[in-house]
Each structure stands twice: as structure tokens, then as C-alpha cells.
Amino acid sequence: MDLDSAGAARRLMARLDAFAAFTDEPGKLTRLYLSPSYRAACDQFAKWAQAAGMRVRVDAVGNVRARYEGKTADAPALMIGSHIDTVRDAGRFDGNLGALAALAVVEQLAENGVRLDHAIEVVAIGDEEGVRFSAAMTGSRALAGQLSATAMQAKDGEGVTLDQALTAFGCDPARACACGAKGVAAFVELHIEQGPVLEAKGLALGVVSAINGATRMQMTVNGVAGHAGCVPMQLRRDAVAAAAEMILAIEARAKAEADLVATVGRLEVEPGAINVIPGLARFSLDVRSPGDERRRRAVGDIDAAAAAIAARRNVEMAMQPIHEAAAYVCDARIVAGFDRALTDMGLPAFHLPSGAGHDTMVMGALAPAGMLFVRCAGGISHNPAESITSEDGALALAALTRFAVDFRG
Ligand SMILES: [Zn+2]
């Protein structure tokens, strides 16, 4: 099938620029879920979808859902999309690229009068980032039929509940927990990588093998505070020196295993004075891996190493779980479909895990799901400096289109 993908890619890149004008904060891109700029972005998205002959509606949680029928009415649908909410002072590609590229896939079909055996449902998802409310992925949770009634009471910084914000937006929150998508054969998402791997490999595109699971822990080390001048080194029970050794052990454990990452991002010291041996150190631990079993084993090893360091240094160590999310292994048929699309285009079918969470991991509960990553400059995201080249944008759209056309439900 010969579609004008070059023209479609140029239009996609121009739209990504135009779409960045929908912002809550002039001079930067901040589009929080259900805000006035989110409304304006939904309206524009819906207008483009209608112009492509799609049936469009905004569902009960503010997702824009547009359907392009297949050869027969009510055919199972390939759902394609990503989120259109952003973080504060965001880049213009995170989420928006996947939503607008999904639209571009259908526009190419419509402009060439092509109907497929399956329908295509394009979705612009609200609230992936979780910036406004104390909950994330509200849009995809609703689509996957996984939204809980308690989530509706999540509040934003002004004390407005999700329930109230949806009502103000013109949605019916009573229907939010029952607006799960029906007849979806699969879900796919195109997204910027948000890491430096593709750039380092010199590749435009990569097929996501899994979305990493995560474990977060609070580590506490209790030693004995004392006078920095009077306690000899041999008699100290220094909580920070012990924590430092533990942090290096964490780094060493993560480095020893491919695709496993561990981060200590926060460290607090008490009493925190220049002339006092620290009696207490508290630090955070974030461990991620594409395999749940591998992640649990790493956390167990870190626990054992930290306990051994604590015993040797005569301090106490405690490890407390804060958060745990399972990994999502992308559906093998979706991965194979993207592999085929890349191979047909003469590109290597390179696989990589996603270190960040995505709507796809939620949508996996609804239907077979998978993702395609596109290289972004310096691996930078959640930052206005986020960028992709037009050439990579064109390759990404061509691969997504090829996947959608060749998809067999
Ligand atoms: Zn994103």
C-alpha cells in the first residue's frame, strides 16, 4: 500500500509545534489534566479527527476517543494513542507525539480511501503524568476498566477532587468507572524513549520489550551521635559513613546486572551539624527491572549487603517498602509486529525495556499491548529541551502506519 507518509510526517511535526501552544502557562508548555488548555487541546484533536472522517467523542474521564471504521461495522479495533497531558514546563513530544501520530496513521488511510479489516480507535489520553491529582494514569485506567471509586476523590493542590474537576469539565464522573473500552483487539503506543540508549546505539527506533517494574524503599540507619572532636575513629558508630558504604553496594549490585537500575535519590542526615558525628541517616531506594523476579532478587541482595555492612559497623539498619509496581512484559505478537515493520523498512529490530511507566502498562490489562520508542536528543525529557529530528519522526510514523496496516486482530 503506497501512502504519502512523507507529507503526513511533515504535517505531524508541524502539528506537534502548533499543539504546544495549548498551555496553562504562557511562555512554557504546561497542560495539566482537565485544565482550560487541556480542553482546548481536546477540541483541536477532535476537530482533526472529525476532518479525517472519524466518529469522535470525549469519554467520562476526558479521553478523546475517535473511531475509524474497518471494512465491516463493529469490527474489532486496534487502539493507538498516548497522553496529551504534560508535566510543568514540559517538552512537546512526550505523549503528544504518540497521540498525534495515531491520528496521522488514520489520516493517511482516509486520504487514500483505505479501509482495513479492523477498525482503528485513536485515543488522546488524559492524566498519564499524574501532576494535578494525587493519582496518575486516570485516563488509561478508565479505558482498561481499572479505575477505582476511591481514585475519584483524589484532590489537586487547590483541594478540588477529580470528581468535581470532571463535572466542571462537562463529564459525568458517575460513569467514569464504567467507561472501559470494548472490542479492543490490541493497544499500541508510540513514545519518545526518554533515555539515551537509542542515541548511543545510533538507532532511530526501538521496540519496547517490557516496561520496568519498580520497588521503592525507605532505608534508615541508626548509629550514635557524638562529638566530632572527642570520639576516636575506632569507637564511632557513624550512620552516614555506613549509609555511604551501603549506597556504593547498591550501585555495585545494579551495575552487575544488565537492564537493572537502582537509585538513591534522597539522603537525610541527623542531627546534620558540622561538628557532630551523624547518629541517623535516612535514604530512599528505587530499583527497576523488566523482570519482577530479578527485581525482587536484587532488592533481597541489597537488603543482605546493607545488613552485613550495618553489623560490621555496629549500627542498625531498617528497610521499609513504600511502593511496588509490577513490570509489564509487552505482548509477544505486538513485539513481533513491530519487529516486522522495522525489518520491512530495512531497520534493525532492536529491543529495549522502558525505564519509565507508560499508559501501555495499564492498557495491557485490557488487551495485548506494546510500544515503539523513537530516539530523543540526549535522552532528555520532561524538559523544554526535549526534541526529535524530523527524519526520526517520519520513520516512527512510517513504522506505526505499517504496523497498523499489517495488524491482524
Ligand atoms: Zn509520556
Side-chain angles (χ1 to χ4, degrees):
M1 184 173 313
D2 203 19
L3 305 174
D4 175 21
S5 64
R10 273 194 301 276
R11 183 171 54 198
L12 170 61
M13 296 306 286
R15 275 190 188 165
L16 281 158
D17 290 341
F19 215 58
F22 298 116
T23 177
D24 301 325
E25 291 185 280
K28 50 178 96 158
L29 172 53
T30 299
R31 190 188 308 137
L32 301 192
Y33 178 44
L34 305 178
S35 70
S37 77
Y38 180 82
R39 160 62 72 192
C42 286
D43 289 349
Q44 179 61 71
F45 196 92
K47 233 179 264 171
W48 282 328
Q50 264 154 4
M54 303 179 81
R55 205 169 67 231
V56 189
R57 68 194 173 95
V58 174
D59 72 11
V61 294
N63 296 317
V64 185
R65 288 158 72 166
R67 185 177 170 97
Y68 183 73
E69 291 294 348
K71 284 176 190 154
T72 54
D74 299 326
L78 169 64
M79 185 176 265
I80 316 175
S82 192
H83 61 98
I84 58 166
D85 68 319
T86 74
V87 295
R88 295 181 196 279
D89 200 10
R92 56 189 55 181
F93 300 95
D94 183 348
N96 293 305
L97 169 67
L100 291 170
L103 198 56
V105 168
V106 170
E107 285 172 331
Q108 293 170 83
L109 299 176
E111 282 158 10
N112 290 277
V114 177
R115 294 278 168 190
L116 303 170
D117 289 338
H118 54 278
I120 293 186
E121 284 206 18
V122 169
V123 60
I125 301 173
D127 188 42
E128 190 269 351
E129 300 286 6
V131 177
R132 179 168 175 189
F133 296 96
S134 55
M137 310 219 179
T138 305
S140 48
R141 275 187 220 286
L143 284 169
Q146 306 254 308
L147 194 63
S148 69
T150 50
M152 304 304 292
Q153 298 312 316
K155 285 185 180 154
D156 70 6
E158 260 101 63
V160 178
T161 63
L162 174 56
D163 193 281
Q164 291 163 336
L166 282 169
T167 305
F169 194 74
C171 293
D172 178 4
R175 288 173 41 237
C177 295
C179 72
K182 308 240 165 22
V184 176
F187 174 82
V188 292
E189 179 176 15
L190 169 68
H191 204 281
I192 56 166
E193 182 201 342
Q194 298 182 275
V197 175
L198 291 174
E199 190 173 72
K201 295 265 176 201
L203 297 172
L205 303 175
V207 181
V208 177
S209 51
I211 299 171
N212 285 355
T215 299
R216 289 185 187 159
M217 296 276 181
Q218 170 78 34
M219 314 274 287
T220 308
V221 181
N222 265 298
V224 176
H227 195 292
C230 306
V231 185
M233 295 308 286
Q234 291 77 6
L235 299 180
R236 293 185 180 201
R237 295 165 68 191
D238 184 327
V240 166
E245 200 177 334
M246 292 172 194
I247 292 167
L248 290 177
I250 290 165
E251 184 190 43
R253 176 59 181 81
K255 274 185 168 171
E257 186 171 329
D259 292 339
L260 184 97
V261 289
T263 306
V264 174
R266 196 178 59 223
L267 174 63
E268 293 156 7
V269 178
E270 285 180 21
I274 195 167
N275 59 352
V276 180
I277 301 161
L280 183 125
R282 242 185 251 116
F283 60 95
S284 61
L285 171 66
D286 177 307
V287 181
R288 302 185 193 213
S289 163
D292 289 331
E293 200 38 58
R294 285 193 277 154
R295 189 184 76 251
R296 281 189 208 109
R297 212 180 311 125
V299 171
D301 290 351
I302 287 169
D303 191 10
I309 292 164
R312 182 158 40 73
R313 288 176 164 271
N314 202 18
V315 296
E316 276 162 25
M317 189 282 296
M319 196 163 159
Q320 223 183 355
I322 302 172
H323 164 87
E324 177 136 24
Y328 175 70
V329 178
C330 293
D331 183 80
R333 282 163 301 166
I334 304 285
V335 170
F338 279 127
D339 282 353
R340 225 174 305 121
L342 297 192
T343 310
D344 288 351
M345 290 166 65
L347 300 172
F350 175 72
H351 289 188
L352 73 170
S354 170
H358 291 289
D359 289 313
T360 294
M361 64 200 286
V362 175
M363 296 302 287
L366 176 76
M371 294 187 85
L372 182 67
F373 271 173
V374 60
R375 161 170 64 188
C376 60
I380 293 168
S381 70
H382 286 189
N383 184 315
E386 188 178 285
S387 78
I388 67 169
T389 64
S390 315
E391 292 76 17
D392 287 359
L395 286 172
L397 177 59
L400 186 65
T401 306
R402 205 174 265 269
F403 176 94
V405 169
D406 292 345
F407 177 77
R408 296 288 172 269

